[in-house]
């Protein structure tokens, strides 16, 4: 028998619902083996859609539910009065307004998908975005249906002293048999995906915020008692976010209480449920001993992101899931600007651009490529992507660039004003921007409908007689699935011109030294007058658009830009380009086996960089990092994993050997004892110090091994300890015993801390020296490995699939291992299964042998019956 094939849903088929749900009263009776959910819904015909005589039947979404009873206006409907099929419940309607009472039985304890209501470490919690609410009760589980929710939670007082839901607590009391209840009311209309409930034995820290109009807000952060000391940073971040959104966007918080709950088992980072954000514990808990600088910054960003959603997502939500980037792209832009204001703006831009160019460009060049507003999907969970989030953010940033800060703010004011309390579309957002600014964004809209990364090719010509400099800019965009031909994009291209002394030249009569060119044609030429010699262009400054720029820079040009460009992003990019050239040179001749010298210009340039006394620590640290293996793979025509690993390692070693004295001096200069502080300046020092440690480790001698061990043992914070641990693990060929010793030490110190243990797994599976298939298999059997925890799965499996030296070089054993995990996980947690298999979908880009083996692994997954829609969609689109 053939499996029923999951169907594709199209944006063009969008229709408003036949019915609205004005109010939703929920009662949760939580028990140890099941939960009873009673939903009382006030339904109303959508007059706008229905003008016919007969009232249409009502179809509600529902999954994995036992229907206990169904009443319509007080009358029980027996099972011959409704239709129950997989995924939905259909019933007849007799009045334009009516009440439904639906009782369902669910089993949160057995819910391993972590969607809907489930249990994590003994507590109940929910995750409803995108379509998880239908696993709680029958409902119109779509974001354009917005309702006022009241939620009564009943549970054992001893086991679950804390009972939370959205909004304000309006009633609480005790019941028989040690049971108690709390009733919550959320006065704001919201779609079901923003619903949340938590019940557990939790402690909280409390703080307060007074809003710009004097509203007193209680802030509470809930966690298991053993983690209560790790909430400070998130609380500080929350207060900063609330203030920033008032200052920069004029947006104020709107309920009496704002709550965050940390849970260990969570599919994603965090969720913006109204008034009750639920966070993956790894994105909220931190102490100097257990969290790295990177984690501190991640927490600040995610707390802000979820808080900002209160306006960009909750007050104004999405009409349908094709509009996901409306809230996500915009909110990522908001959190990125917040982080830039809190820390180093230049470094934030470098880091974001780097993620985009490495991972989003790869997605846009792969089989799952989609526009930031997709036109169709099989499973919406597969579209919580770098494209929708990060490229979506870049699209909003381009609007900001084209309009300027003031008009952009007028645009967001108009958008919030116009659509408050509504479910809106990307088009609504762009329209508000246009209306408020008077800027025509007609062509700009192509960014919403076209996928693929545009390529901007720049050529130039200098006329000595006239002093004219001609800059010709051509754009194209490669074909992507379903989109053979593209229309030109409207691209803001940041530009400056450097003269022979490295000074910026005036670009126009006003004397501006920086400009944003508005590129609209497939090819156009700009002429700059009065240049005394041929200038060097600084292109795409501040990464002004998510495009690839091709310009024929010589190595000398790049070294010059590294020194003189005033744009941090472009200085870093020049350094990256030089690194890519040097490494690719070795990759090309890898097969010849002959000794190849490392590019001397690169080595010289790094010498200058290391010694530069003026350069900001944070930027220097970024510039000193060679292009990652992933970014080299993304830029390669055909990926040769072994060659990339070897070539990059060789270049790193050469830099270390050539500049060992300067690196050591810098390392020593930056190593001094002081109390941990997660502020930008301190983070920059630690980052730079640990970049030096990494280079010194590449010297591969006894002395550096001692230095790493000393840093590991003497570390007073997790940043330094983790950095040293990583270096030591990579030196396994020199001292196997030391590696075992520090891994054991690390384990003994942190075995009770699930978040730190994630790092312990990742450092092993991700190591070129340690991360064999056998090692990963052994770690999966480890007592501290929890196969139901997405964090653990991501650390171990994700660490391994990102391990280019091992995953791709095992004669296919790595791919087969991954296929086995995907098939197994698909039964348990389809979202995680479909995420971890992503690396296989890039099979076409690899050299032939690897490519064939990856394809084979995918085919084996495809042959499995009853795949989830998540895995089904990914595997079928990639083969
Ligand atoms: N809206 C959340 C955020 O970006 C992400 C939730 C995603 N959940 C999911 N199941 N795909 O903040
Ligand atoms: Zn979000």
């Amino acid at each position: 028998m053939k499996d029923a094939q999951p169907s594709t849903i199209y944006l063009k088929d969008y229709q408003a619902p036949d019915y609205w749900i004005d109010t939703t009263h929920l009662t949760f009776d939580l028990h140890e083996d099941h939960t009873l959910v009673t939903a009382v819904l006030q339904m109303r015909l959508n007059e706008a859609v229905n003008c016919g005589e007969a009232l249409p039947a009502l179809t509600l979404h529902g999954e994995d539910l036992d229907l206990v009873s169904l009443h319509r206006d007080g009358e029980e409907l027996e099972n011959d009065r409704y239709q129950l099929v997989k995924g939905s419940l259909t019933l007849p309607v007799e009045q334009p307004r009516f009440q439904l009472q639906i009782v369902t039985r669910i089993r949160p304890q057995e819910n391993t998908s972590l969607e809907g209501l489930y249990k994590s470490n003994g507590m109940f919690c929910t995750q409803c975005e995108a379509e998880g609410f239908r696993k709680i009760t029958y409902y119109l589980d779509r974001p354009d249906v917005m309702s006022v929710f009241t939620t009564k939670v009943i549970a054992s007082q001893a086991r679950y002293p804390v009972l939370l839901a959205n909004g304000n607590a309006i009633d609480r009391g005790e019941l028989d048999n040690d049971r108690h209840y709390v009733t919550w009311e959320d006065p704001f209309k919201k779609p079901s995906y923003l619903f949340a409930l938590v019940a557990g034995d939790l402690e909280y820290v409390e703080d307060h915020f007074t809003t710009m109009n004097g509203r007193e807000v209680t802030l509470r952060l809930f966690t298991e008692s053993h983690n209560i000391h790790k909430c400070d940073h998130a609380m500080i971040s929350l207060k900063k976010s609330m203030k920033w959104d008032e200052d920069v966007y004029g947006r104020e918080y709107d309920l009496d209480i704002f709550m965050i709950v940390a849970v260990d088992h969570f599919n994603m980072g965090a969720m913006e449920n109204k008034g009750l954000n639920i966070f993956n514990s790894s994105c909220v808990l931190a102490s100097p001993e257990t969290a790295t600088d990177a984690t501190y910054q991640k927490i600040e960003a995610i707390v802000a992101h979820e808080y900002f959603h209160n306006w960009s997502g909750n007050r104004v939500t999405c009409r349908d899931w094709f509009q996901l980037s409306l809230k996500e792209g915009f909110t990522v832009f908001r959190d990125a600007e917040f982080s830039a204001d809190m820390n180093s703006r230049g470094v934030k831009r470098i880091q974001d651009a780097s993620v985009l160019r490495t991972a989003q460009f790869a997605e846009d060049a792969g089989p799952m490529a989609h526009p930031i507003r997709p036109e169709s999907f099989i499973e919406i969970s597969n579209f919580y992507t770098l494209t929708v989030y990060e490229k979506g953010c870049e699209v909003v940033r381009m609007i900001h660039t084209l309009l300027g800060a003031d008009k952009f703010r007028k645009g967001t004011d108009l958008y919030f004003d116009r659509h408050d309390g509504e479910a809106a579309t990307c088009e609504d957002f762009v329209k508000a921007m246009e209306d408020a600014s008077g800027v025509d964004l007609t062509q700009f809209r192509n960014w919403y409908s076209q996928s693929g990364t545009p390529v901007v090719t720049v050529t130039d010509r200098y006329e000595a007689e006239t002093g004219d400099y001609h800059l010709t800019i051509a754009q194209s965009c490669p074909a992507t699935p379903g989109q053979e031909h593209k229309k030109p994009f409207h691209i803001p291209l940041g530009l400056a011109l450097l003269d022979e002394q490295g000074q910026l030249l005036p670009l126009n009569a006003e004397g501006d030294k920086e400009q944003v060119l508005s590129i609209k044609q497939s090819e156009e030429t700009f002429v700059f007058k009065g240049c005394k010699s041929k200038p060097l262009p600084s292109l795409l400054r501040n990464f002004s658009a998510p495009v690839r720029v091709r310009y024929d820079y010589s190595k000398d040009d790049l070294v010059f830009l590294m020194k003189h460009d005033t744009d941090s992003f472009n200085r870093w990019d020049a350094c990256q380009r030089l690194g890519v050239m040097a490494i690719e040179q070795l990759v090309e001749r890898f097969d010849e086996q002959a000794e190849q010298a490392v590019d001397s210009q690169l080595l010289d340039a790094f010498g200058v960089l290391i010694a530069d006394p003026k350069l900001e620590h944070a930027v220097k640290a970024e510039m000193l990092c060679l292009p990652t293996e992933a970014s080299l793979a993304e830029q390669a025509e055909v990926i040769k994993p072994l060659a990339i690993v070897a070539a990059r390692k060789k270049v790193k070693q050469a830099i270390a050997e050539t500049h060992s004295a300067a690196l050591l001096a810098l390392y020593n200069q930056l190593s001094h004892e002081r109390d941990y502080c997660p502020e930008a300046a301190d983070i920059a020092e630690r980052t730079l110090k640990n970049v030096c440690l990494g280079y010194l480790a590449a010297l591969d001698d006894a002395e550096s091994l001692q230095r790493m061990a000393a840093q590991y043992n003497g570390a007073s914070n997790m940043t330094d300890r983790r950095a040293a641990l990583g270096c030591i693990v990579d030196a396994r060929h020199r001292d196997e015993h030391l590696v075992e010793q520090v891994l054991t030490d690390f384990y003994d110190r942190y075995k009770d801390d699930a978040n730190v243990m994630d790092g312990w797994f990742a450092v092993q599976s991700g190591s070129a020296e340690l991360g064999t298939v056998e090692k990963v298999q052994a770690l999966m059997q480890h007592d501290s490995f929890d196969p139901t925890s997405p964090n653990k799965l991501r650390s171990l499996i994700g660490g391994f699939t990102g391990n280019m030296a091992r995953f791709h070089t095992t004669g296919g054993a790595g791919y087969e291992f991954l296929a086995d995990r995907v098939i197994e996980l698909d039964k348990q947690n389809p979202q995680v299964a479909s995420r971890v298999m992503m690396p296989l979908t890039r099979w076409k880009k690899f050299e032939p042998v690897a490519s064939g083996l990856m394809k084979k692994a995918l085919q084996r997954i495809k042959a499995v019956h009853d795949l989830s829609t998540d895995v089904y969609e990914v595997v079928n689109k990639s083969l």
Side-chain angles (χ1 to χ4, degrees):
M1 204 185 79
K2 217 165 156 268
D3 294 338
Q5 291 200 352
S7 54
T8 303
I9 302 158
Y10 295 90
L11 168 58
K12 63 174 165 49
D13 293 343
Y14 173 82
Q15 282 189 324
D18 288 335
Y19 294 94
W20 302 114
I21 306 177
D22 289 326
T23 62
T24 301
H25 282 264
L26 299 170
T27 305
F28 288 81
D29 212 344
L30 303 172
H31 295 279
E32 286 319 293
D33 58 350
H34 74 282
T35 291
L36 274 182
V37 183
T38 303
V40 177
L41 314 177
Q42 290 300 336
M43 309 293 304
R44 173 169 54 90
L45 181 72
N46 180 358
E47 315 261 354
V49 170
N50 271 285
C51 25
E53 287 290 285
L55 292 168
L58 170 67
T59 297
L60 300 172
H61 302 110
E63 261 172 46
D64 304 337
L65 304 170
D66 286 347
L67 181 59
V68 176
S69 69
L70 175 63
H71 289 77
R72 192 191 59 200
D73 285 332
E75 177 199 356
E76 171 144 23
L77 300 186
E78 301 291 347
N79 61 10
D80 57 346
R81 305 278 301 279
Y82 58 79
Q83 282 164 302
L84 211 48
V85 295
K86 197 172 182 294
S88 72
L89 165 67
T90 302
L91 56 129
V93 175
E94 284 166 6
Q95 303 291 330
R97 284 172 190 264
F98 57 103
Q99 185 189 71
L100 283 183
Q101 190 204 63
I102 307 165
V103 181
T104 51
R105 185 182 292 108
I106 54 178
R107 297 197 156 64
Q109 288 79 357
E110 291 162 26
N111 180 357
T112 58
S113 70
L114 314 190
E115 269 186 300
L117 180 65
Y118 64 94
K119 280 197 103 173
S120 169
N121 288 354
M123 68 196 270
F124 287 94
C125 61
T126 54
Q127 171 55 36
C128 294
E129 188 179 359
E131 297 179 335
F133 192 77
R134 62 188 65 184
K135 292 186 163 188
I136 292 174
T137 187
Y138 288 100
Y139 203 77
L140 290 173
D141 190 14
R142 42 187 290 168
D144 54 353
V145 172
M146 301 172 76
S147 182
V148 172
F149 281 70
T150 310
T151 308
K152 181 172 182 179
V153 190
I154 309 168
S156 149
Q157 179 138 33
R159 286 179 199 253
Y160 312 102
V162 173
L163 305 175
L164 311 174
N166 316 83
N168 305 310
I170 52 164
D171 188 22
R172 62 178 71 233
E174 292 184 5
L175 303 165
D176 291 345
N177 300 323
D178 161 55
R179 293 177 73 75
H180 71 145
Y181 73 92
V182 181
T183 304
W184 294 80
E185 184 184 68
D186 178 1
F188 292 94
K189 277 171 55 169
K190 66 167 175 288
S192 51
Y193 83 87
L194 291 173
F195 170 81
L197 174 157
V198 169
D201 186 0
L202 302 169
E203 288 192 15
Y204 64 85
V205 295
E206 182 171 297
D207 209 327
H208 297 273
F209 183 81
T210 308
T211 70
M212 58 189 192
N213 288 315
R215 173 192 275 278
E216 284 298 325
V217 184
T218 301
L219 312 176
R220 283 190 188 156
L221 223 154
F222 293 83
T223 175
E224 291 165 77
S225 64
H226 64 271
N227 283 326
I228 199 74
H229 63 289
K230 295 201 220 160
C231 297
D232 297 351
H233 182 65
M235 187 62 91
I236 293 168
S237 303
L238 175 60
K239 288 191 285 180
K240 286 183 183 168
S241 310
M242 294 178 88
K243 179 76 170 65
W244 188 90
D245 211 17
E246 293 185 348
D247 292 347
V248 179
Y249 283 86
R251 299 291 124 196
E252 188 180 13
Y253 187 62
D254 51 13
L255 286 165
D256 303 334
I257 185 163
F258 185 85
M259 299 175 279
I260 291 178
V261 182
V263 308
D264 280 334
H265 292 72
F266 204 72
N267 281 345
M268 315 280 281
M271 181 62 211
E272 69 265 22
N273 317 298
K274 183 78 186 189
L276 178 55
N277 288 358
I278 298 181
F279 271 61
N280 187 321
S281 56
S282 71
C283 300
V284 64
L285 302 175
S287 70
E289 295 74 36
T290 61
T292 61
D293 291 336
T295 300
Y296 270 84
Q297 294 196 316
K298 173 177 82 175
I299 290 168
E300 183 179 73
I302 298 184
V303 167
H305 178 97
E306 306 309 333
Y307 174 73
F308 295 157
H309 267 317
N310 190 54
W311 276 95
S312 49
N314 302 1
R315 290 289 287 257
V316 182
T317 191
C318 299
R319 187 192 71 174
D320 54 74
W321 292 119
F322 298 101
Q323 319 295 330
L324 183 58
S325 199
L326 172 67
K327 73 177 177 82
E328 296 304 346
F330 185 25
T331 305
V332 173
F333 175 68
R334 279 150 57 68
D335 83 58
E337 285 297 290
F338 166 75
S339 293
D341 282 346
M342 298 299 127
N343 305 287
S344 159
R345 177 163 283 272
V347 169
K348 174 67 179 160
R349 195 67 195 125
I350 290 168
Q351 289 169 344
D352 287 351
S354 167
V355 168
L356 195 90
R357 295 205 304 195
T358 301
Q360 196 280 326
F361 281 15
E363 187 169 278
D364 236 347
M368 289 289 290
H370 52 278
I372 65 165
R373 182 185 56 211
E375 247 117 62
S376 69
F377 59 73
I378 292 177
E379 171 53 63
I380 185 57
S381 297
N382 285 329
F383 288 80
Y384 286 73
T385 56
L386 288 148
T387 300
V388 165
Y389 277 66
E390 271 68 30
K391 186 177 180 180
C393 159
E394 295 302 326
V395 170
V396 174
R397 180 181 296 281
M398 288 190 286
I399 298 180
H400 185 274
T401 304
L402 291 169
L403 269 58
D406 291 347
K407 286 183 179 160
F408 182 83
R409 169 65 196 272
K410 286 203 177 78
T412 60
D413 283 353
L414 181 60
Y415 168 72
F416 288 128
D417 204 45
R418 247 185 210 172
H419 299 289
D420 190 8
E422 290 180 5
T425 61
C426 296
E427 176 55 30
D428 292 330
F429 183 80
V430 177
K431 191 76 177 53
M433 289 293 160
E434 272 183 331
D435 290 351
S437 69
V439 175
D440 179 2
L441 296 172
T442 310
Q443 187 185 349
F444 187 84
R445 284 172 171 77
N446 291 341
W447 285 107
Y448 284 88
S449 56
Q450 297 188 142
S451 56
T453 304
V455 178
V456 172
T457 306
V458 182
T459 49
D460 57 357
R461 183 164 57 84
Y462 174 66
E463 282 171 7
E465 317 82 69
T466 55
D468 285 359
Y469 177 62
H470 299 247
L471 200 62
T472 299
I473 296 168
Q475 61 161 306
S476 64
C477 183
T480 44
Q483 295 190 340
E484 202 54 39
H485 301 286
K486 317 284 169 107
K487 296 185 211 115
F489 291 87
H490 180 179
I491 301 170
L493 190 88
L495 173 80
L497 299 177
L498 279 71
D499 71 11
E500 282 170 326
Q501 282 72 49
Q503 300 292 317
L504 297 192
L505 293 170
L507 299 171
N508 50 23
E510 291 79 53
D512 293 331
K513 293 186 172 170
E514 276 188 86
Q515 230 182 342
V516 176
L517 304 179
S518 226
I519 308 298
K520 293 187 165 182
Q521 315 292 322
S522 337
E523 185 177 314
E524 49 198 301
T525 298
F526 299 82
V527 181
F528 301 91
K529 304 215 164 275
C531 305
K532 297 208 172 64
S533 58
K534 182 176 183 188
L536 184 62
S538 164
L539 301 161
L540 200 72
R541 291 165 77 78
N542 201 35
F543 196 57
S544 60
V547 301
R548 298 178 203 265
V549 170
R550 304 240 186 276
Y551 175 83
D552 200 10
Y553 286 117
S554 68
K555 286 182 192 161
D556 287 331
D557 293 341
L558 294 171
V559 172
F560 191 81
L561 287 173
M562 274 174 69
K563 260 188 226 155
H564 297 291
D565 204 329
T566 54
D567 184 68
S568 304
F569 168 77
N570 265 4
R571 290 184 75 156
W572 170 80
D573 188 45
C575 199
Q576 289 281 300
R577 284 175 191 253
L578 202 61
V580 170
M581 281 183 182
I583 295 168
E584 275 180 355
Q585 199 177 317
L586 299 186
V587 168
E588 263 162 41
R589 312 187 62 173
F590 177 72
D591 296 332
E592 293 168 23
Q593 302 280 333
E595 259 310 298
Q596 297 289 329
V598 173
D599 177 33
S600 62
Q601 263 172 301
L602 173 95
L603 295 177
D604 292 347
F606 269 64
V608 174
L609 198 58
I610 295 163
D612 189 337
K614 295 196 300 284
L615 193 57
E616 225 189 304
H617 284 330
V619 175
K620 187 186 274 196
E622 294 295 337
M623 288 179 76
L624 280 176
C625 290
L626 287 171
T628 60
E629 290 165 356
S631 111
L632 292 159
E634 203 289 315
Q635 292 175 68
E637 202 68 46
V638 175
I639 304 172
K640 300 178 185 169
L642 266 187
I644 288 180
V645 172
R648 186 179 185 279
K649 189 170 169 188
K650 180 160 186 170
V651 171
K652 186 170 178 182
Q653 227 157 22
I655 294 170
E657 280 160 11
T658 315
H659 303 297
S660 58
L663 286 162
L664 182 58
L666 188 52
Y667 175 80
N668 286 332
Q669 180 201 326
L670 296 167
S671 306
H672 43 87
E673 260 316 304
R674 72 164 92 167
D675 286 341
Y676 180 83
C677 165
E679 295 295 323
D682 286 27
I683 291 178
E685 281 205 16
R686 276 189 293 275
T687 309
L688 184 55
K689 175 183 73 184
N690 288 320
V691 168
C692 293
L693 184 73
Y695 274 109
L696 293 167
L699 292 174
D700 206 14
D701 56 8
E703 212 182 304
S704 17
L705 208 57
Q706 259 173 23
R707 185 177 306 110
M708 301 178 305
Q711 177 167 325
Y712 176 88
N713 289 314
S716 62
N717 60 71
M718 182 50 81
T719 305
D720 289 339
R721 183 159 282 136
R722 264 299 299 273
L725 175 66
C727 292
I728 292 169
V729 170
D730 281 338
R732 183 161 177 272
H733 58 278
R734 284 199 74 87
D735 195 340
E736 228 171 285
H737 180 69
L738 178 66
V739 174
E740 285 313 311
Q741 195 187 314
V742 290
L743 282 172
T744 305
D745 175 86
F746 195 92
Y747 180 79
D748 290 340
R749 282 174 196 263
Y750 305 112
K751 58 179 178 301
D752 298 326
D753 190 314
N755 300 131
V756 181
M757 287 310 291
D758 290 343
W760 186 78
F761 284 103
V763 80
Q764 298 181 70
S765 66
S767 155
E769 304 227 4
L770 206 53
T772 60
V773 182
E774 295 72 29
K775 182 72 187 176
V776 177
Q777 269 161 337
L779 286 169
M780 287 197 76
Q781 305 306 317
H782 196 282
D783 281 346
S784 294
F785 187 78
D786 172 1
T788 68
S789 153
N791 288 357
K792 287 282 176 300
L793 291 161
R794 275 187 287 259
S795 303
L796 190 60
I797 301 177
F800 178 58
T801 57
N803 182 350
M804 193 171 281
R806 290 291 179 179
F807 178 56
H808 293 287
T809 55
T810 47
Y815 307 145
E816 293 305 319
F817 167 79
L818 180 58
D820 288 339
R821 298 291 77 72
V822 170
I823 292 166
E824 179 179 275
L825 259 172
D826 195 38
K827 302 269 172 271
Q828 171 194 323
N829 187 328
Q831 283 188 21
V832 173
S834 123
R835 290 280 151 160
V836 298
M837 76 180 286
M838 281 305 166
L840 284 177
T841 66
R842 308 283 149 77
W843 63 277
K844 281 186 185 150
K845 268 199 80 171
F846 282 81
E847 58 188 357
V849 177
S851 181
L853 293 167
M854 291 169 92
K855 184 176 181 189
K856 208 172 121 230
L858 281 170
Q859 283 167 330
R860 190 153 67 81
I861 298 171
K862 184 173 166 162
V864 172
H865 282 267
D866 284 332
L867 285 175
S868 67
T869 47
D870 306 64
V871 169
Y872 175 92
E873 177 169 40
V874 173
V875 81
N876 278 280
K877 286 184 173 171
S878 48
L879 276 171

